[in-house]
Amino acid sequence: MKWIIDTDPGIDDASAIITAVNSGALDILGITCVHGNVGLEYTTRNALKLIELMDVGIPVYGGASRPILQKPEHASYVHGTDGFGNTFLSEPNIKLEPIHAVDFIIEAAYADDKLGLLTLGPLTNVALAIAKDRSLEDRIDRIVMMAGTSRARGNTSPVAEFNVFADPEAAAVVFDTGIPITMVPWETCLDTLLGPDTIRELRKSLTPVGQAFSNAMEFTLKGIEASMGQEFLVLCDLIAACVAIDPSVVKEKASVTVRVETCGRYSRGLTVIDERNIEGAEPNVTLCLACDREQIAGMFLNAINHQN
Ligand code: BDR
Ligand code: CA
């Protein structure tokens, strides 16, 4: 299977990209960027810079700069105004590919190989690709995504997780396609924290990408330390990347139907989980309810210290 990583880097997106690329386990066709944690000008720049630092020559595409309906929603309080912990990476020498991310996704879906999407940001690019060419509903083989909540415990509204909250219409389009989705929800990420031992190892990393990442993570760590009095990292997107690389990291899962609330006054962006199959629909999601933190920390440390 070939993979496209759709992403809004983003500190945890960076950890996911580094691990997906340096694990060598995924055949990655390209990285498509989307608005999200910060604006597209920074998400594209960060993706290009990470690829340059790893020196791997994976093409990077620019995509949607805003959600389908609502105003852009950013998370610079978590990721810094540059999306990379206010470290303001220098201008990359490599450039964006000349075609739009949406067209690249469509082109890849028409190739003979099976196609998987690893989505780490708002789902605008994927929804637009499906809107442009509906046959993608059958041509995309699977999506592994960091998105949504399993217990309505939100991180952006009381009930909604950022990637869904930042473009609920796009998420609704994608969840309604019937493409098999493996979903890593916010609650699972919270239960898979990386603690002081991993942070210590990350600070020791000597590779160019390791040093860039550990500088950027200090911003997040400071915020967490100030509010929680402890140092730990919640690298949500990393968990989704590890699930795509090695499904054995998932320790508990459920097959469920998931819909996205787009109208609720208080619940817009909620992922509604039909746990007891009250709708009687064919489940569209494998929900990852618990993952192996040690395995994930190990995969990330190997990747960040990998010399290309
Ligand atoms: C998700 O939102 C973003 O801030 C992170 O990059 C991650 O994709 C977590 O809710
Ligand atoms: Ca992200």
Coordinates of all heavy atoms in Angstrom, one line a residue, residues 29-75:
L29 N 4.1 8.4 -0.6 CA 4.1 9.1 -1.9 C 4.3 10.6 -1.8 O 4.9 11.2 -2.6 CB 2.7 8.9 -2.6 CG 2.4 7.5 -3.1 CD1 0.9 7.5 -3.7 CD2 3.4 7.1 -4.2
G30 N 3.7 11.2 -0.7 CA 3.8 12.6 -0.6 C 3.2 13.1 0.7 O 2.5 12.3 1.4
I31 N 3.5 14.3 1.0 CA 2.9 15.0 2.2 C 2.0 16.1 1.7 O 2.5 17.0 1.0 CB 4.0 15.5 3.2 CG1 4.8 14.2 3.6 CG2 3.4 16.3 4.3 CD1 5.8 14.5 4.7
T32 N 0.7 16.1 2.1 CA -0.2 17.2 1.7 C -0.5 18.0 3.0 O -0.8 17.5 4.0 CB -1.5 16.6 1.1 OG1 -2.0 15.6 2.0 CG2 -1.2 15.9 -0.2
C33 N -0.4 19.3 2.8 CA -0.5 20.2 4.0 C -1.9 20.9 3.9 O -2.5 21.1 2.8 CB 0.5 21.3 4.0 SG 2.2 20.5 4.1
V34 N -2.4 21.2 5.1 CA -3.7 21.8 5.2 C -3.6 22.9 6.3 O -2.7 22.8 7.2 CB -4.7 20.7 5.6 CG1 -4.5 20.0 6.9 CG2 -6.2 21.2 5.4
H35 N -4.5 23.8 6.3 CA -4.7 24.8 7.4 C -4.9 24.0 8.7 O -5.4 22.8 8.6 CB -5.8 25.7 7.2 CG -7.2 25.0 7.3 ND1 -7.8 24.9 8.4 CD2 -7.9 24.3 6.4 CE1 -8.9 24.1 8.3 NE2 -9.0 23.8 7.0
G36 N -4.7 24.6 9.8 CA -5.1 23.9 11.1 C -4.4 24.5 12.3 O -4.7 25.7 12.6
N37 N -3.4 23.8 12.8 CA -2.7 24.3 14.0 C -2.3 25.8 13.8 O -2.4 26.6 14.7 CB -1.5 23.5 14.3 CG -1.9 22.2 14.9 OD1 -2.8 22.1 15.7 ND2 -1.2 21.1 14.5
V38 N -1.8 26.1 12.6 CA -1.5 27.4 12.2 C -1.9 27.5 10.7 O -2.4 26.6 10.1 CB 0.0 27.7 12.4 CG1 0.4 28.0 13.8 CG2 0.9 26.6 11.8
G39 N -1.7 28.7 10.1 CA -2.1 28.9 8.7 C -1.2 28.1 7.8 O -0.1 27.6 8.1
L40 N -1.7 27.9 6.6 CA -1.1 27.1 5.5 C 0.4 27.6 5.2 O 1.2 26.7 4.9 CB -1.9 27.1 4.3 CG -1.5 26.1 3.2 CD1 -1.8 24.7 3.7 CD2 -2.2 26.4 1.9
E41 N 0.6 28.9 5.4 CA 2.0 29.4 5.1 C 3.0 28.7 6.0 O 4.1 28.4 5.6 CB 2.1 30.9 5.1 CG 1.8 31.6 6.4 CD 0.3 31.7 6.8 OE1 -0.5 31.0 6.2 OE2 0.0 32.4 7.8
Y42 N 2.6 28.5 7.3 CA 3.5 27.8 8.2 C 3.4 26.3 8.1 O 4.4 25.6 8.3 CB 3.2 28.3 9.6 CG 3.8 29.6 10.0 CD1 3.1 30.7 10.4 CD2 5.2 29.8 9.9 CE1 3.7 31.9 10.7 CE2 5.8 31.0 10.2 CZ 5.1 32.1 10.6 OH 5.7 33.2 10.9
T43 N 2.2 25.7 7.9 CA 2.2 24.3 7.9 C 3.0 23.7 6.7 O 3.7 22.7 6.8 CB 0.8 23.7 7.9 OG1 0.1 24.1 6.7 CG2 0.0 24.1 9.1
T44 N 3.0 24.4 5.6 CA 3.8 24.0 4.4 C 5.2 24.2 4.7 O 6.1 23.3 4.4 CB 3.4 24.8 3.1 OG1 3.3 26.1 3.4 CG2 2.0 24.3 2.6
R45 N 5.6 25.3 5.2 CA 7.0 25.6 5.5 C 7.6 24.6 6.5 O 8.7 24.1 6.3 CB 7.1 27.0 6.1 CG 8.4 27.5 6.4 CD 8.3 28.8 7.2 NE 9.6 29.2 7.7 CZ 10.1 30.4 7.4 NH1 9.5 31.2 6.5 NH2 11.3 30.7 7.9
N46 N 6.8 24.3 7.5 CA 7.3 23.3 8.5 C 7.5 21.9 7.9 O 8.5 21.2 8.2 CB 6.4 23.2 9.7 CG 6.4 24.5 10.5 OD1 7.4 25.3 10.5 ND2 5.3 24.8 11.3
A47 N 6.5 21.5 7.1 CA 6.6 20.2 6.4 C 7.9 20.2 5.5 O 8.6 19.2 5.5 CB 5.4 19.9 5.6
L48 N 8.0 21.2 4.7 CA 9.2 21.2 3.8 C 10.5 21.2 4.6 O 11.4 20.4 4.3 CB 9.2 22.5 3.0 CG 8.2 22.6 1.9 CD1 8.0 24.1 1.3 CD2 8.6 21.7 0.7
K49 N 10.5 21.9 5.7 CA 11.8 22.0 6.5 C 12.1 20.6 7.1 O 13.3 20.2 7.1 CB 11.6 23.1 7.5 CG 12.9 23.5 8.1 CD 13.8 24.2 7.1 CE 15.3 24.2 7.6 NZ 16.2 24.9 6.7
L50 N 11.1 19.9 7.6 CA 11.3 18.6 8.2 C 11.8 17.6 7.1 O 12.8 16.9 7.4 CB 10.0 18.1 8.8 CG 9.5 18.8 10.1 CD1 8.1 18.4 10.4 CD2 10.4 18.4 11.2
I51 N 11.2 17.7 6.0 CA 11.7 16.8 4.9 C 13.1 17.1 4.5 O 14.0 16.2 4.3 CB 10.7 16.9 3.7 CG1 9.4 16.3 4.0 CG2 11.3 16.2 2.4 CD1 9.4 14.9 4.5
E52 N 13.4 18.4 4.5 CA 14.8 18.8 4.2 C 15.8 18.4 5.2 O 16.9 17.9 4.9 CB 14.8 20.4 4.0 CG 16.2 20.9 3.6 CD 16.0 22.4 3.2 OE1 15.4 22.7 2.2 OE2 16.6 23.2 4.0
L53 N 15.4 18.5 6.5 CA 16.3 18.1 7.6 C 16.6 16.6 7.6 O 17.6 16.2 7.9 CB 15.7 18.5 8.9 CG 15.7 20.0 9.3 CD1 14.9 20.3 10.6 CD2 17.2 20.5 9.5
M54 N 15.5 15.9 7.2 CA 15.7 14.4 7.1 C 16.4 14.0 5.8 O 16.8 12.8 5.6 CB 14.4 13.7 7.3 CG 13.8 13.8 8.7 SD 12.4 12.8 8.9 CE 11.1 13.8 8.2
D55 N 16.4 14.9 4.8 CA 17.1 14.7 3.5 C 16.5 13.4 2.8 O 17.2 12.5 2.4 CB 18.6 14.5 3.8 CG 19.4 14.7 2.5 OD1 18.8 15.2 1.5 OD2 20.6 14.3 2.5
V56 N 15.2 13.4 2.7 CA 14.6 12.2 2.2 C 13.8 12.4 0.8 O 13.4 11.4 0.2 CB 13.6 11.5 3.2 CG1 14.3 10.8 4.3 CG2 12.6 12.5 3.8
G57 N 13.7 13.6 0.4 CA 13.2 13.9 -1.0 C 11.7 13.5 -1.2 O 11.3 13.2 -2.3
I58 N 10.9 13.5 -0.1 CA 9.5 13.2 -0.3 C 8.8 14.5 -0.7 O 9.0 15.5 -0.1 CB 8.9 12.7 1.0 CG1 9.5 11.3 1.4 CG2 7.3 12.6 0.9 CD1 9.1 10.7 2.7
P59 N 8.0 14.5 -1.8 CA 7.3 15.7 -2.3 C 6.3 16.2 -1.3 O 5.6 15.4 -0.6 CB 6.7 15.3 -3.6 CG 6.7 13.8 -3.6 CD 7.7 13.3 -2.7
V60 N 6.2 17.5 -1.2 CA 5.3 18.2 -0.3 C 4.3 19.1 -1.1 O 4.8 19.8 -2.0 CB 6.0 19.1 0.8 CG1 5.0 19.8 1.7 CG2 7.0 18.2 1.5
Y61 N 3.0 19.0 -0.8 CA 2.0 19.7 -1.6 C 1.2 20.7 -0.7 O 0.9 20.3 0.5 CB 1.0 18.7 -2.2 CG 1.7 17.7 -3.1 CD1 2.3 16.6 -2.6 CD2 1.6 17.9 -4.5 CE1 3.0 15.7 -3.4 CE2 2.3 17.0 -5.3 CZ 2.9 15.9 -4.8 OH 3.6 15.1 -5.7
G62 N 0.9 21.8 -1.2 CA 0.1 22.8 -0.4 C -1.4 22.5 -0.7 O -1.8 22.2 -1.9
G63 N -2.2 22.6 0.3 CA -3.7 22.3 0.1 C -4.6 23.4 0.5 O -4.2 24.6 0.3
A64 N -5.6 23.1 1.2 CA -6.7 24.1 1.6 C -6.2 25.0 2.6 O -5.6 24.6 3.6 CB -7.9 23.3 2.1
S65 N -6.5 26.3 2.4 CA -6.0 27.3 3.4 C -7.1 27.7 4.4 O -6.8 28.6 5.2 CB -5.5 28.6 2.6 OG -6.5 29.1 1.8
R66 N -8.3 27.2 4.2 CA -9.3 27.5 5.2 C -10.4 26.3 5.2 O -10.4 25.5 4.2 CB -10.0 28.8 4.8 CG -10.6 28.8 3.4 CD -11.7 29.8 3.3 NE -12.9 29.4 4.0 CZ -13.9 30.1 4.3 NH1 -14.0 31.4 3.9 NH2 -15.0 29.6 4.9
P67 N -11.2 26.3 6.2 CA -12.2 25.2 6.3 C -13.3 25.5 5.2 O -13.4 26.6 4.6 CB -12.8 25.4 7.7 CG -11.9 26.3 8.4 CD -11.2 27.1 7.4
I68 N -14.2 24.5 5.0 CA -15.2 24.6 4.0 C -16.2 25.7 4.3 O -16.6 26.5 3.5 CB -15.9 23.2 3.9 CG1 -14.9 22.2 3.2 CG2 -17.2 23.3 3.1 CD1 -15.4 20.8 3.1
L69 N -16.6 25.8 5.6 CA -17.7 26.7 5.9 C -17.3 27.8 6.9 O -17.6 29.0 6.7 CB -18.9 25.9 6.4 CG -20.3 26.6 6.5 CD1 -20.7 27.1 5.1 CD2 -21.3 25.7 7.1
Q70 N -16.7 27.4 7.9 CA -16.5 28.3 9.0 C -15.2 29.1 8.9 O -14.4 28.8 8.0 CB -16.5 27.6 10.4 CG -15.3 26.6 10.5 CD -15.4 25.7 11.7 OE1 -16.5 25.5 12.3 NE2 -14.3 25.3 12.2
K71 N -14.9 30.0 9.8 CA -13.6 30.7 9.8 C -12.5 29.8 10.3 O -12.8 28.9 11.1 CB -13.7 31.9 10.7 CG -14.6 33.0 10.2 CD -14.3 34.3 10.9 CE -15.2 35.4 10.5 NZ -16.0 36.0 11.6
P72 N -11.3 30.0 9.8 CA -10.2 29.2 10.3 C -10.0 29.2 11.8 O -10.2 30.2 12.5 CB -8.9 29.8 9.6 CG -9.4 30.5 8.5 CD -10.8 31.0 8.9
E73 N -9.7 28.1 12.3 CA -9.5 27.8 13.8 C -8.0 27.4 14.0 O -7.6 26.5 13.3 CB -10.4 26.7 14.2 CG -10.5 26.3 15.6 CD -11.3 27.4 16.4 OE1 -12.3 28.0 15.9 OE2 -10.9 27.6 17.5
H74 N -7.2 28.1 14.8 CA -5.8 27.7 14.9 C -5.6 27.3 16.4 O -6.4 27.6 17.3 CB -4.9 28.9 14.5 CG -5.0 29.2 13.1 ND1 -5.1 28.3 12.1 CD2 -5.0 30.4 12.5 CE1 -5.2 28.9 10.9 NE2 -5.1 30.2 11.1
A75 N -4.4 26.6 16.6 CA -4.0 26.2 17.9 C -2.6 26.7 18.2 O -1.8 25.9 18.7 CB -4.2 24.7 18.0

